[in-house]
Amino acid sequence: MYRYFLTRTATAVALALVLPVTSVSMTVLAPATAQAASAAEALIDNFHSGLLNTMKQASSLGYSGRFKRIEPLVKRTFALQTMMQVIVGPEWNGLSAADRGALMDTFGDWVVANYASRFNGWDGESFVTTGTTDGGRNTVVVQTEIRPQNVKLGYRVLNGKVVDVYLSGSVSQLAQWRSEFAAVLKQQGAKGLVAKLRSSENQLAK
């Protein structure tokens, strides 16, 4: 059975990129946005298909096998650099190229590790796309459910990549991560966050 990873407790943070889904959930999609919505749905359906196949083979693959399967899926689906920049905030522009690279690499591995660790089996679950909404700022939110548990997930897509995931329709994972990592960045800087992410990844691999 999977153990979903979008459950960390943190204070919601107002981000320039992140808008509450509830404020756009009733917006009618314009024709151009409808075309983008179709592409966004295909992106998420492909991600879910790959994830589901991995879940069905979870035991035989083991953690390392799941990590290898999920890694290319995550990198094709998520705008990891954009997400890392939003998490770090304005301080991103002041980081060295080496620190930026280390953060992006480590963050990507950590996201993959979360999926590889949490989606560690299959008990008949399915991923169902239930619709799309205008997410504002040229984004589309793909609304989905994990059934039969009825876990609602919204994927915010910008330029063909996911930039945020919403749990229960409105809780921004990106805002939670920014809040969670803010103290580490303030007290220990980029290198401290890299160390925290690596430590967390190692715990997930156990």
Side-chain angles (χ1 to χ4, degrees):
M1 179 182 294
Y2 74 93
R3 291 173 293 134
Y4 202 70
F5 80 92
L6 299 179
T7 56
R8 295 172 181 270
T9 301
T11 304
V13 178
L15 303 177
L17 178 64
V18 178
L19 300 177
V21 174
T22 51
S23 68
V24 298
S25 60
M26 299 303 293
T27 303
V28 177
L29 293 174
T33 308
Q35 188 175 18
S38 179
E41 281 192 24
L43 175 74
I44 301 308
D45 286 346
N46 181 70
F47 175 66
H48 281 165
S49 177
L51 188 58
L52 189 61
N53 288 336
T54 302
M55 290 166 64
K56 290 179 178 180
Q57 302 175 56
S59 295
S60 60
L61 288 170
Y63 172 82
S64 61
R66 296 195 302 273
F67 189 101
K68 290 177 182 178
R69 285 279 190 91
I70 293 171
E71 183 176 21
L73 280 174
V74 166
K75 291 185 176 179
R76 285 198 303 267
T77 305
F78 291 85
L80 295 171
Q81 179 172 337
T82 299
M83 296 171 77
M84 191 72 257
Q85 285 180 253
V86 172
I87 289 169
V88 174
E91 291 79 7
W92 178 265
N93 293 328
L95 297 178
S96 67
D99 281 343
R100 290 182 187 180
L103 279 170
M104 287 187 293
D105 289 345
T106 309
F107 177 65
D109 289 345
W110 179 75
V111 171
V112 174
N114 270 282
Y115 277 104
S117 175
R118 308 306 185 187
F119 288 87
N120 60 353
W122 182 70
D123 281 342
E125 296 89 355
S126 63
F127 295 90
V128 179
T129 297
T130 59
T132 57
T133 55
D134 185 345
R137 298 181 184 269
N138 299 314
T139 68
V140 173
V141 178
V142 181
Q143 307 288 359
T144 74
E145 287 184 6
I146 302 176
R147 295 178 180 171
Q149 292 84 358
N150 295 324
V151 177
K152 297 182 184 300
L153 302 172
Y155 295 86
R156 193 176 187 193
V157 179
L158 173 68
N159 297 328
K161 293 287 186 75
V162 172
V163 293
D164 200 359
V165 181
Y166 297 93
L167 180 63
S168 301
S170 61
V171 181
S172 165
Q173 180 67 87
L174 194 61
Q176 288 186 337
W177 282 342
R178 184 174 184 182
S179 178
E180 181 178 351
F181 299 148
V184 178
L185 283 166
K186 183 177 181 179
Q187 297 171 11
Q188 303 176 38
K191 291 180 175 59
L193 181 54
V194 167
K196 177 180 174 64
L197 290 171
R198 285 298 182 204
S199 176
S200 178
E201 180 190 345
N202 290 337
Q203 290 296 316
L204 290 167
K206 293 181 178 179

